[in-house]
Amino acid sequence: MNVKGRAIALSGRFDALGPGEAERRLEAAGVHVTDELTPSTAAIFVGRETTRDKGNEAYVLGIPSYDEAALLAALAELEEPVSRTVEPPGCFVDSAALAAVGPAALEEMLREADWAAFVLARDLPLLRARLMELEGEHGLTPAHRLATNMIRLRGTMLSRPYGHRSKIIALALSPSGTHLATGDWGEGESGTAQVWEVATGRCVNVLERIDGGIGWDGHARTMQWSADGLHLGMAFRTNAIGVWDPFGESSESRAEAQVTNGASRPPAWALHPDGRSAYVVTGNKDRVGVQGCLAPLERGKLFWLAEDAEMPHEHILAKGSVPADICEPCGEGLDVDRSPIWSPDGNRLYVANRSEAFVVDVATGVPLWLTHRVDWLAEWSPDGRFLAHVHKGLLHFRDAATGRPAVGPAPTAGSRWNLSLHWGMRGDTARLAAVLSKKAAEPGVQVYDDGRLSHRLAVTPAEAALARENKDFAVWAWAPSGDQGAVLTAAGDIEIWSLGDGEPRRLRTLAAPAGTQGVLWGADNVIVAAGEKVLRFLRADSDEIVGDYTFLRKADAELPIHPDYVYDEFDGRILALDEHTWCLPIEPDTAIAPPERRADIEAHLAWIIDRRFAWPLRWGRFDIWPDAATAVAHLRTTSPDTKALQEAVRETAG
């Protein structure tokens, strides 16, 4: 643990050190010892007779707490003469060297590293990936322990995988594929959003008490990410939308808008690529042009109804007249009842409804073109070049800039009852998978590259959500590279197909949990099998399961502590390892559960850094005790959790 040059706090008496000895030796080695705890304090070493208030203060500030053994190890490291290489300014470690060294060399590299230059987003994934490789080759090594100690110095918390209190009804994969957001309605009182790191299959953040619940059962795209993955938009309270920090601590929205007519269903809406505004259908009575406004979502709350003539508003989108050749066939104007999609540059809106599709120029609010007869099935390509839609058994590809046919229509035996459309990208080529489910006369998958048929897959897909229903659960997912695809089959498995330049090949079959309704393909070659009560994270190139969760499950065993404390102090954190076994995590490094279930606990929990990254428990010291009394007798740190646990044990004993 390299604490040289950093601020360190001491509390209590250390048995192996004389009065004042720890402070003198630390300062002689270049450590700043302070009595004041601030967010910049790197760590606190706690000995005997420490005050509980000091430990609680450290926990609230996110300061890691260590025992006397850790202090002695730190002193030994500080006072051991080592030759340090000088790294370039701003460099943590050389990434090429990191990938090549073995365990001993990596340990030395980490000891010599400039941890002050450690950048989470840049350095943690690389370091974690290399340690994963070394664990597979050599098992756990001192390098794993050293890295864990240094990572935990930055402040960690335990993950909370089971935040959902009702079935999952919303899913959204971040544009980079690194994080997955899941949402529940929460029975209409308050909903919960969970954010998952796809590579590790761990929950990294929980946003609780979303007023009125998230989305609505059967409605798609009620959770949407900004292009940079730093803003998460959600439809909530039935007719409101808002923007949250997906990696923030607060469950309060940064901004929200309630600009609809008060309908009891989520509005059609689209979060702008920059995450700072959104197009929202307002339900204005005249229905001239495009219904809706561009609601600002920088901060604060906007309450306004478009039909209120006494409250004219600058955010109405349609300001001018709609060309007669576009609007006349519509009779009453253009209707928006499905969430549109923004063009990548944020200048146009792509809208597809149950019977028509059109593109809107946002600067004028005027549609550029319109096509009828899309028969519910219509999807826009990710690059904004094509619209694919079905009409009378034909699959049409239109140029999104003009609305004219891009290529000739292709026959398809599908309809909105048995067909789903899924776009992906392979380089500059837009690829469409037309998935005919088990209900079709000839089930299978047809792949079109820029509108031209390229592959046919002999597979029987599962039944897809109907075109008018929730498409967050999709039976097809494209790999980020676009040269492979995953399909949920009627048998309940996930098949991985190679779709390069040659003939399509079935590469492997992955087991999906019962209740799986859809698949997603995220970063680091991880596939997510998702359902209303299940999430499973699997590596696409193997059968490895990196995360596996069954929600709304309870154990029939007695709770580890009095129920009042479970629901008052540990609400939403206790988890059922199975139908008969509870596990109660205690921040920062303890759990009450059967010790023999360590592997299962490590498969559910992790240390979370910055509410964005997960770090394996098995790489550090994590205590598991069979009951609350034993846990209290062996606590090594002080936190609000440990205080609550001690009070629960005292009350039970009394």
Side-chain angles (χ1 to χ4, degrees):
M1 182 186 302
N2 184 8
V3 293
K4 186 172 184 178
R6 312 189 74 180
I8 295 297
L10 301 174
S11 180
R13 179 169 59 86
F14 302 100
D15 294 335
L17 301 168
E21 181 182 354
E23 181 175 356
R24 290 193 301 271
R25 291 171 61 181
L26 286 168
E27 291 187 337
V31 178
H32 174 57
V33 180
T34 177
D35 291 328
E36 181 182 3
L37 297 180
T38 70
S40 62
T41 306
I44 180 171
F45 292 97
V46 178
R48 296 174 61 187
E49 301 175 6
T50 188
T51 63
R52 182 173 298 164
D53 290 344
K54 198 78 167 180
N56 290 341
E57 182 183 359
Y59 180 83
V60 170
L61 292 172
I63 301 171
S65 179
Y66 295 92
D67 58 12
E68 181 173 355
L71 173 60
L72 295 174
L75 285 170
E77 181 179 338
L78 287 167
E79 295 167 349
E80 178 184 359
V82 293
S83 59
R84 298 183 178 272
T85 58
V86 178
E87 298 288 350
C91 178
F92 169 58
V93 294
D94 181 80
S95 58
L98 177 66
V101 298
L106 177 58
E107 180 187 4
E108 183 62 23
M109 179 186 294
L110 295 179
R111 290 188 184 279
E112 297 178 356
D114 180 9
W115 285 90
F118 187 88
V119 178
L120 280 174
R122 179 193 67 192
D123 298 321
L124 186 143
L126 290 175
L127 177 59
R128 186 178 61 193
R130 182 56 182 149
L131 288 170
M132 286 284 188
E133 293 175 353
L134 291 177
E135 182 183 12
E137 298 167 359
H138 304 278
L140 293 181
T141 70
H144 291 87
R145 305 298 188 196
L146 174 59
T148 300
N149 287 339
M150 298 310 298
I151 290 295
R152 294 201 60 208
L153 277 174
R154 305 182 67 91
T156 60
M157 57 185 290
L158 291 175
S159 60
R160 293 177 52 192
Y162 293 111
H164 291 304
R165 300 175 186 272
S166 62
K167 67 181 183 179
I168 297 171
I169 61 173
L171 297 170
L173 191 64
S174 67
S176 65
T178 58
H179 290 86
L180 171 70
T182 58
D184 68 54
W185 175 239
E187 305 302 331
E189 297 180 0
S190 65
T192 301
Q194 293 190 225
V195 179
W196 306 79
E197 187 184 27
V198 173
T200 60
R202 297 294 187 273
C203 177
V204 294
N205 201 18
V206 179
L207 301 175
E208 298 179 294
R209 297 180 297 280
I210 307 300
D211 185 27
I214 299 167
W216 191 271
D217 200 8
H219 284 245
R221 304 193 72 239
T222 56
M223 305 182 87
Q224 301 178 27
W225 293 81
S226 61
D228 59 9
L230 298 180
H231 311 278
L232 179 63
M234 293 191 282
F236 68 108
R237 205 189 307 129
T238 67
N239 62 337
I241 63 163
V243 175
W244 279 257
D245 176 359
F247 309 111
E249 182 177 359
S250 175
S251 292
E252 295 294 323
S253 64
R254 180 191 72 205
E256 65 182 66
Q258 187 170 318
V259 295
T260 71
N261 60 2
S264 60
R265 298 292 187 274
W269 68 292
L271 184 66
H272 192 277
D274 66 8
R276 301 187 181 279
S277 64
Y279 169 79
V280 191
V281 169
T282 59
N284 49 307
K285 294 179 180 179
D286 293 337
R287 299 180 66 194
V288 176
V290 179
Q291 297 174 272
C293 69
L294 290 175
L297 292 172
E298 286 283 356
R299 63 184 65 85
K301 299 181 180 181
L302 173 64
F303 296 94
W304 166 71
L305 298 181
E307 65 262 32
D308 191 338
E310 298 180 0
M311 296 182 63
H313 207 286
E314 62 181 314
H315 302 302
I316 278 284
L317 181 60
K319 298 183 178 72
S321 60
V322 179
D325 60 338
I326 292 179
C327 193
E328 184 177 358
C330 308
E332 297 180 336
L334 301 180
D335 193 14
V336 179
D337 63 0
R338 282 178 56 188
S339 292
I341 297 172
W342 286 93
S343 63
D345 59 10
N347 292 328
R348 297 177 302 283
L349 281 167
Y350 300 111
V351 185
N353 296 322
R354 70 191 69 184
S355 59
E356 61 196 17
F358 51 93
V359 173
V360 179
D361 174 55
V362 176
T364 63
V366 174
L368 301 176
W369 60 263
L370 166 75
T371 184
H372 292 287
R373 300 176 296 277
V374 296
D375 290 356
W376 292 86
L377 285 166
E379 298 292 341
W380 302 92
S381 64
D383 59 358
R385 289 193 296 135
F386 298 104
L387 167 71
H389 73 93
V390 174
H391 178 62
K392 291 185 177 180
L394 294 177
L395 178 59
H396 298 264
F397 292 88
R398 296 186 180 273
D399 186 315
T402 65
R404 299 188 182 95
V407 296
T412 175
S415 69
R416 64 187 177 97
W417 305 106
N418 55 34
L419 176 66
S420 58
L421 305 177
H422 310 269
W423 282 102
M425 296 295 299
R426 186 188 184 199
D428 295 331
T429 301
R431 314 194 80 183
L432 179 78
V435 180
L436 289 154
S437 75
K438 66 179 183 179
K439 282 190 172 183
E442 297 181 9
V445 179
Q446 298 170 344
V447 176
Y448 297 83
D449 289 343
D450 285 344
R452 293 175 174 81
L453 182 65
S454 60
H455 300 295
R456 294 179 185 270
L457 279 61
V459 61
T460 302
E463 183 178 349
L466 296 180
R468 67 178 185 270
E469 295 179 347
N470 192 339
K471 283 191 174 180
D472 286 352
F473 295 101
V475 298
W476 176 273
W478 283 103
S481 62
D483 57 5
Q484 293 183 32
V487 58
L488 178 65
T489 71
D493 298 319
I494 299 173
E495 291 188 3
I496 309 298
W497 284 78
S498 172
L499 297 166
D501 297 324
E503 290 295 317
R505 291 183 298 113
R506 183 188 291 107
L507 299 177
R508 64 192 60 85
T509 300
L510 307 178
T516 297
Q517 296 171 271
V519 292
L520 305 99
W521 199 318
D524 293 295
N525 215 23
V526 172
I527 287 176
V528 185
E532 294 177 341
K533 297 182 181 180
V534 294
L535 280 181
R536 179 175 291 178
F537 298 80
L538 311 102
R539 300 210 177 277
D541 54 359
S542 69
D543 59 355
E544 180 186 359
I545 297 175
V546 296
D548 198 10
Y549 307 93
T550 300
F551 298 92
L552 309 182
R553 182 171 62 187
K554 294 184 178 181
D556 57 14
E558 183 179 352
L559 291 168
I561 59 176
H562 192 280
D564 289 348
Y565 284 92
V566 172
Y567 300 118
D568 292 343
E569 305 293 342
F570 300 98
D571 187 33
R573 285 189 278 168
I574 191 168
L575 57 99
L577 296 177
D578 54 38
E579 291 80 1
H580 310 293
T581 311
W582 288 112
C583 172
L584 178 62
I586 306 294
E587 290 280 7
D589 49 20
T590 301
I592 302 173
E596 64 271 16
R597 299 294 297 274
R598 175 175 289 274
D600 294 326
I601 294 168
E602 292 175 348
H604 282 78
L605 300 179
W607 282 303
I608 304 303
I609 307 97
D610 199 32
R611 298 178 184 269
R612 188 185 303 253
F613 303 100
W615 194 264
L617 293 182
R618 64 183 181 276
W619 290 355
R621 180 173 175 180
F622 187 82
D623 295 331
I624 302 173
W625 303 107
D627 54 68
T630 305
V632 166
H634 292 86
L635 288 174
R636 296 181 291 112
T637 54
T638 302
S639 72
D641 273 12
T642 61
K643 179 181 179 181
L645 181 63
Q646 289 167 334
E647 290 178 354
V649 170
R650 280 198 298 268
E651 180 172 312
T652 301

